[in-house]
Amino acid sequence: MEAWRCVRRGYGRCVVGRGRYPMFPHHQKSLGRDWTTPWENLQRCCWNRHISSCMRWPGHYSRAPYPYFSSRHFSLHWRPPCLFESRTPFQYWNWRPDSLSHSSLIHLSSYIMNSEGDEPSSKRRKHQGTIQRHWEYICNHNKDKTKILGDKNVDSKCEDSDNKFDFSVMSYNILSQDLLEDNSHLYRHCRQPVLHWSFRFPNILKEIKHFDADVLCLQEVQEDHYGAEIRPSLESLGYHCEYKMRTGRKPDGCAICFKHSKFSLLSVNPVEFYRRDVPLLDRDNVGLVLLLQPKLPRAASPVICVANTHLLYNPRRGDIKLTQLAMLLAEISSVAHQKDGSFCPIVMCGDFNSVPGSPLYSFIKEGKLNYEGLAIGKVSGQEQSSRGQRILSIPIWPPNLGISQNCVYEVQQLPKVEKTDGDLTQTELDKTEVLVTAEKLSSNLHHHFSLSSVYSHYFPDTGIPEVTTCHSRSAITVDYIFYSAEKEDVAGQPGAEVALVGGLKLLARLSLLTEQDLWTVNGLPNENNSSDHLPLLAKFRLEL
């Protein structure tokens, strides 16, 4: 009815909610429930605007294959003979230009691709196509070993053996359908049918099945879809699934799924970043940490800690992001801690809503961060403007959170009281208070892990940034797979490989793409890639 009211008033309404615009150049006469317009006016309208591929017809299914007309194919006095002069009916509807009435609507889109001031040419709708991604084999630091995606031939130097355990990990933000619909302005470049969940989920499942990773770390997993479709489908592929929904009223969460044939589950540890007693932590993001044991024909096999999270998006709330990260690291420290004081190998995946080189990213990789004087909006590197930004407080989070500046859980212990011949002097008490205050007000954060990123984030030959997400507003890297490894010093140039010894060994990774690469297939999502994020995929080796 809303669409019909708009047409009667001389307006068109976009199906994705982009507002109204005049449908005809002049006010038209209304005769009861019918309306008429000179064909020349409609033709001029088609000259000035595209008729969308999302044309709506009352009484027909909204995802039917609608015809597409382009204004560049029209002239002011020319009518397409196949449609208007011969009056050949549409495939699905008997529609003729001289019989326009309330039973036949033309829905004109407000999204004009050819007008001055619109999206740049790189973002204009392209023909359907597929992106090409390759396997990059990293073992033995051989940069020349690359395979086309889907090639089953594995580099012989990466072969498995009795003393090694090889496994693969995928991290994938699959784009919650509710979030997609709540943020439709990010997907104006997309054809409407590709945004439907009934179209998207088979594509996502096809990707997961094709890559066949041993461990899946999924973000933006919508609860109703998880229970009805995602979990049953993955279980049919041999996965065991664990899920943590966001707190509050948020409809999505994080899932970690692993192959029955490769791992046994030792523990499940959800992390809720919302804390009622901490005003800073009023957001509903979550994390999930699993302890997995490889299934090996030996008495004592090592364990692996796998963590997955989706940190807060808000670019101007770096204080919340750092605190959420500290909470996740504290849980990982608790789960991965071993009896000898060391940590088992760690894989940490997720959408961290931070760009490479940002303070938050550097903290993960370097294990330390001095945030004194750091603007709150600069923590994630997403916010370019420094307007109105306040400085991070010291400390960032209050003591009652129970997490130290070393990102571990603090053990609450009562002070020991011993009998002495005399009480402490006031001077000694003052010195003690000064020491405690100095420790509490430290602006240095630390963590105990040696973490590296699977990806280099820049192409070595050109220095062009890789991207993991691409929509109408931006194309950047925010998704990562971090893993525990010892690092050797290498040249710190963009795209340089990092030499790794000990811990987990990175064998291969699925190549990422540039922003230009993604816009050649109309960005994300598109007909073949049904999320606004790319899946990240890595193959690791655990020395036994």
Side-chain angles (χ1 to χ4, degrees):
M1 288 301 298
E2 172 63 18
W4 171 233
R5 282 194 296 268
C6 291
V7 172
R8 290 192 64 194
R9 295 169 186 169
Y11 288 92
R13 188 173 186 85
C14 178
V15 294
V16 293
R18 296 185 205 115
R20 303 176 179 181
Y21 53 85
M23 187 172 178
F24 302 110
H26 303 290
H27 178 71
Q28 307 301 322
K29 297 181 179 179
S30 296
L31 298 176
R33 292 181 57 86
D34 293 330
W35 56 269
T36 59
T37 182
W39 170 242
E40 291 75 11
N41 290 346
L42 179 60
Q43 197 172 32
R44 292 192 190 96
C45 182
C46 294
W47 169 254
N48 293 325
R49 294 185 180 273
H50 281 249
I51 299 182
S52 171
S53 59
C54 297
M55 295 170 67
R56 297 277 177 166
W57 305 85
H60 290 273
Y61 183 47
S62 62
R63 290 190 60 199
Y66 302 119
Y68 176 77
F69 302 103
S70 174
S71 60
R72 72 190 72 165
H73 299 138
F74 284 78
S75 69
L76 192 59
H77 300 292
W78 178 82
R79 303 177 184 181
C82 63
L83 179 62
F84 297 113
E85 291 187 2
S86 63
R87 303 196 178 191
T88 302
F90 280 102
Q91 182 178 358
Y92 296 98
W93 312 277
N94 291 323
W95 179 87
R96 297 178 182 179
D98 56 353
S99 62
L100 291 175
S101 70
H102 67 275
S103 63
S104 301
L105 309 184
I106 298 180
H107 191 114
L108 300 179
S109 171
S110 64
Y111 192 67
I112 311 168
M113 302 301 292
N114 288 345
S115 298
E116 185 178 354
D118 270 336
E119 304 250 12
S121 59
S122 62
K123 296 187 179 182
R124 292 178 185 168
R125 186 171 294 162
K126 301 296 192 298
H127 297 292
Q128 180 176 342
T130 58
I131 56 178
Q132 295 293 326
R133 301 180 68 184
H134 303 74
W135 279 107
E136 300 173 346
Y137 290 95
I138 312 299
C139 63
N140 294 328
H141 320 305
N142 189 345
K143 302 180 186 179
D144 297 328
K145 286 288 182 181
T146 60
K147 301 289 182 181
I148 300 294
L149 177 61
D151 193 341
K152 300 299 182 182
N153 299 320
V154 179
D155 182 5
S156 60
K157 297 178 183 179
C158 295
E159 294 278 347
D160 201 357
S161 69
D162 296 337
N163 297 323
K164 302 176 179 64
F165 176 77
D166 291 358
F167 65 100
S168 56
V169 177
M170 173 191 283
S171 181
Y172 194 7
N173 183 327
I174 63 173
L175 181 56
S176 160
Q177 188 67 23
D178 279 6
L179 293 178
L180 181 156
E181 293 171 5
D182 289 344
N183 298 277
S184 59
H185 62 282
L186 299 179
Y187 311 105
R188 293 180 177 177
H189 61 285
C190 301
R191 293 195 308 111
Q192 192 69 14
V194 307
L195 298 179
H196 289 275
W197 177 249
S198 58
F199 179 89
R200 295 176 54 232
F201 177 64
N203 269 0
I204 293 170
L205 188 63
K206 181 180 177 181
E207 282 184 294
I208 292 174
K209 186 175 181 179
H210 175 76
F211 292 130
D212 196 32
D214 299 315
V215 179
L216 303 176
C217 291
L218 306 178
Q219 304 89 41
E220 291 196 26
V221 180
Q222 193 164 304
E223 183 193 27
D224 54 344
H225 294 156
Y226 173 75
E229 299 171 273
I230 298 174
R231 180 175 181 174
S233 298
L234 293 180
E235 287 179 343
S236 70
L237 297 177
Y239 289 97
H240 174 87
C241 302
E242 295 291 338
Y243 177 69
K244 174 58 182 173
M245 184 181 174
R246 286 208 280 172
T247 52
R249 298 181 179 180
K250 303 299 182 180
D252 65 289
C254 296
I256 300 180
C257 312
F258 59 89
K259 287 286 186 71
H260 283 292
S261 59
K262 297 281 284 190
F263 296 98
S264 298
L265 179 63
L266 298 183
S267 68
V268 180
N269 309 273
V271 186
E272 294 183 356
F273 297 144
Y274 174 82
R275 287 283 297 269
R276 183 174 299 178
D277 58 333
V278 180
L280 174 69
L281 297 173
D282 60 350
R283 308 305 167 95
D284 296 306
N285 305 84
V286 296
L288 185 61
V289 183
L290 302 189
L291 194 62
L292 303 179
Q293 187 170 42
K295 289 185 175 180
L296 297 170
R298 50 190 296 169
S301 61
V303 294
I304 299 171
C305 179
V306 179
N308 184 25
T309 192
H310 188 178
L311 299 185
L312 175 71
Y313 165 73
N314 192 335
R316 301 179 68 84
R317 292 309 303 269
D319 52 345
I320 298 178
K321 296 190 187 194
L322 276 175
T323 306
Q324 290 179 346
L325 176 61
M327 296 174 72
L328 180 69
L329 292 173
E331 186 65 28
I332 293 173
S333 179
S334 176
V335 172
H337 192 268
Q338 301 185 111
K339 293 181 179 180
D340 61 358
S342 63
F343 297 96
C344 70
I346 297 164
V347 178
M348 185 171 69
C349 302
D351 181 344
F352 291 82
N353 274 314
S354 301
V355 302
S358 65
L360 188 144
Y361 173 88
S362 299
F363 174 52
I364 294 175
K365 289 196 64 177
E366 298 173 10
K368 59 183 180 180
L369 173 66
N370 184 351
Y371 60 86
E372 183 176 4
L374 179 61
I376 192 173
K378 296 296 184 182
V379 169
S380 64
Q382 298 164 287
E383 183 70 29
Q384 300 300 321
S385 173
S386 59
R387 176 176 52 86
Q389 291 189 11
R390 59 185 176 87
I391 303 301
L392 285 170
S393 61
I394 302 175
I396 299 175
W397 56 84
N400 65 324
L401 181 60
I403 295 177
S404 72
Q405 299 291 294
N406 292 325
C407 298
V408 296
Y409 291 124
E410 290 180 323
V411 179
Q412 301 295 331
Q413 294 180 341
L414 294 175
K416 296 181 179 180
V417 179
E418 298 180 359
K419 293 183 179 180
T420 59
D421 294 336
D423 295 332
L424 291 174
T425 65
Q426 184 63 40
T427 303
E428 290 171 330
L429 287 174
D430 292 341
K431 289 181 178 178
T432 303
E433 182 66 25
V434 170
L435 291 175
V436 171
T437 303
E439 181 180 358
K440 293 288 186 180
L441 296 180
S442 173
S443 62
N444 292 294
L445 297 180
H446 299 273
H447 68 73
H448 301 293
F449 315 121
S450 177
L451 297 175
S452 293
S453 174
V454 163
Y455 290 92
S456 300
H457 313 307
Y458 297 91
F459 288 90
D461 298 333
T462 62
I464 297 175
E466 300 169 334
V467 299
T468 65
T469 180
C470 178
H471 50 66
S472 294
R473 289 289 181 87
S474 66
I476 56 175
T477 287
V478 294
D479 307 278
Y480 303 92
I481 300 178
F482 296 104
Y483 65 102
S484 56
E486 296 295 330
K487 291 175 283 188
E488 295 177 351
D489 293 333
V490 295
Q493 57 185 359
E497 298 290 350
V498 178
L500 306 171
V501 293
L504 289 174
K505 185 175 183 180
L506 177 61
L507 299 182
R509 64 193 177 198
L510 189 64
S511 66
L512 288 174
L513 302 166
T514 67
E515 178 181 4
Q516 184 177 5
D517 293 334
L518 290 174
W519 281 117
T520 61
V521 291
N522 196 39
L524 298 173
N526 55 53
E527 283 77 4
N528 298 293
N529 310 95
S530 286
S531 173
D532 57 349
H533 293 248
L534 291 172
L536 279 58
L537 192 64
K539 296 179 180 179
F540 296 105
R541 170 167 292 169
L542 175 64
E543 302 286 347
L544 304 178

